[in-house]
Amino acid sequence: MNWLHSLDWGAIALNGLTLVGKLLIAFIAFYIARAIGRRIIAQSFLKMKNTKNISSGRSHTLEKLATNVLSYVLIFILVTFIAEMFGLSPSALIAGAGVVGLAIGFGAQGLVSDVVTGFFLLLEKQIDVGDYVTVAALDGIVEEVGLRTTQIRGFDGTLYFIPNRNITDVHNHSRGNMRALVDVSIPFEDNMDETIKLIQDACADLGDVTELIKEGPDVVGVEDLSSSLVTIRVIAKTENMHQWTVERQIRKVIKQAMDEHKQSIEEETPGDEEN
């Protein structure tokens, strides 16, 4: 136990406090640099969006990717600095990481596929943040596009993390106007010409009062026949992501028009009988 008394506890305490102080400074510098970097990135992409007419979704996608790259770089610098504090050679760590990475790389073909696919998703502008897409048999709104995974928020609120290698087909529903489609079933014995004119008039009035409809609505005609019902199809072109709203509005005005028509017939019937 004599060796304990021979230790310079004052120097050990001083070195310990110095090490803790350096660690605190390193972490504080890391968080400050990350905050400043994120602010610079956000301002740069905002300026780019305003001057180069980049879409909001595209700008948001690239901004998130740049922020992630910044975080990875700062973490690497922080780890290197901490290694030097403990007397470890950064070059030796990098070399060791390279050897380990090479060994892992042979078994990480999926990861490489994720990165390559993610790179081309971004390069070819196949999807952007905020787009409504169908990928890997999932529907939803894109929340983030990364080099390894793509995050999609389902309409029920579920957040899906999809490895990019699983994205083989991309169905982007947010590029251009969309189609609203409504099928109306009426009794087989009803007058087709009269009913189609009634529906068309109601839809024309709707198209005049809502800006969500870009073209139509138009009655295509009879879509299907059954033993007791006739199906009439109505289509319209709408602003993107508003096709469901327009479909609900079309159903509403058709129902109101049919109710009014039915009521007018019922009101006229007693008079006809009296005459």
Side-chain angles (χ1 to χ4, degrees):
M1 298 297 291
N2 292 332
W3 63 273
L4 291 175
H5 299 288
S6 62
L7 296 176
D8 189 348
W9 291 105
I12 293 175
L14 180 61
N15 290 335
L17 291 174
T18 302
L19 181 63
V20 172
K22 289 181 178 180
L23 287 173
L24 288 176
I25 292 174
F27 279 102
I28 292 173
F30 168 78
Y31 286 110
I32 292 176
R34 188 174 66 172
I36 294 175
R38 287 180 173 178
R39 186 168 184 177
I40 292 174
I41 290 173
Q43 292 177 348
S44 300
F45 277 98
L46 179 60
K47 183 178 180 181
M48 186 184 302
K49 176 184 174 183
N50 295 331
T51 58
K52 296 186 178 182
N53 295 325
I54 298 178
S55 66
S56 177
R58 182 68 179 170
S59 175
H60 192 51
T61 301
L62 296 177
E63 181 182 340
K64 281 198 170 186
L65 181 61
T67 301
N68 290 335
V69 172
L70 172 67
S71 298
Y72 295 147
V73 172
L74 291 177
I75 290 173
F76 177 77
I77 295 174
L78 178 63
V79 171
T80 302
F81 181 77
I82 293 175
E84 288 182 343
M85 288 173 51
F86 286 96
L88 301 175
S89 174
S91 59
L93 289 176
I94 294 174
V99 174
V100 174
L102 182 62
I104 295 175
F106 288 107
Q109 296 180 3
L111 177 61
V112 175
S113 178
D114 286 338
V115 173
V116 172
T117 305
F119 174 77
F120 282 104
L121 284 174
L122 294 169
L123 180 66
E124 298 174 357
K125 302 180 182 180
Q126 297 182 22
I127 56 178
D128 289 327
V129 171
D131 285 354
Y132 164 44
V133 299
T134 301
V135 296
L138 295 172
D139 293 337
I141 306 298
V142 178
E143 289 207 349
E144 184 173 336
V145 182
L147 286 176
R148 194 180 67 83
T149 62
T150 296
Q151 298 180 25
I152 294 181
R153 177 77 64 178
F155 291 107
D156 61 350
T158 304
L159 182 61
Y160 300 99
F161 293 83
I162 305 174
N164 289 334
R165 64 180 178 273
N166 292 341
I167 302 177
T168 56
D169 297 310
V170 176
H171 304 268
N172 195 322
H173 310 290
S174 296
R175 302 291 169 87
N177 294 329
M178 297 299 292
R179 184 183 71 173
L181 187 150
V182 174
D183 286 336
V184 183
S185 297
I186 63 173
F188 200 91
E189 60 272 10
D190 283 8
N191 186 293
M192 288 297 100
D193 293 335
E194 182 179 340
T195 303
I196 289 175
K197 184 179 184 304
L198 177 68
I199 295 175
Q200 183 61 67
D201 291 343
C203 291
D205 293 339
L206 176 64
D208 293 337
V209 298
T210 176
E211 296 180 353
L212 298 179
I213 298 177
K214 297 302 180 182
E215 184 179 324
D218 296 312
V219 178
V220 179
V222 177
E223 180 66 21
D224 191 23
L225 295 173
S226 67
S227 59
S228 59
L229 294 174
V230 177
T231 301
I232 298 176
R233 173 158 293 182
V234 180
I235 61 172
K237 286 187 178 180
T238 74
E239 283 191 6
N240 196 272
M241 298 299 294
H242 292 285
Q243 59 269 29
W244 303 290
T245 301
V246 172
E247 287 177 355
R248 288 191 290 268
Q249 291 176 344
I250 292 174
R251 295 187 186 99
K252 180 180 178 181
V253 297
I254 290 176
K255 177 64 167 61
Q256 290 175 341
M258 287 185 168
D259 288 344
E260 292 174 359
H261 181 68
K262 181 179 179 181
Q263 183 177 359
S264 64
I265 293 177
E266 291 176 351
E267 291 175 353
E268 291 174 359
T269 301
D272 292 340
E273 292 178 350
E274 290 176 2
N275 294 333

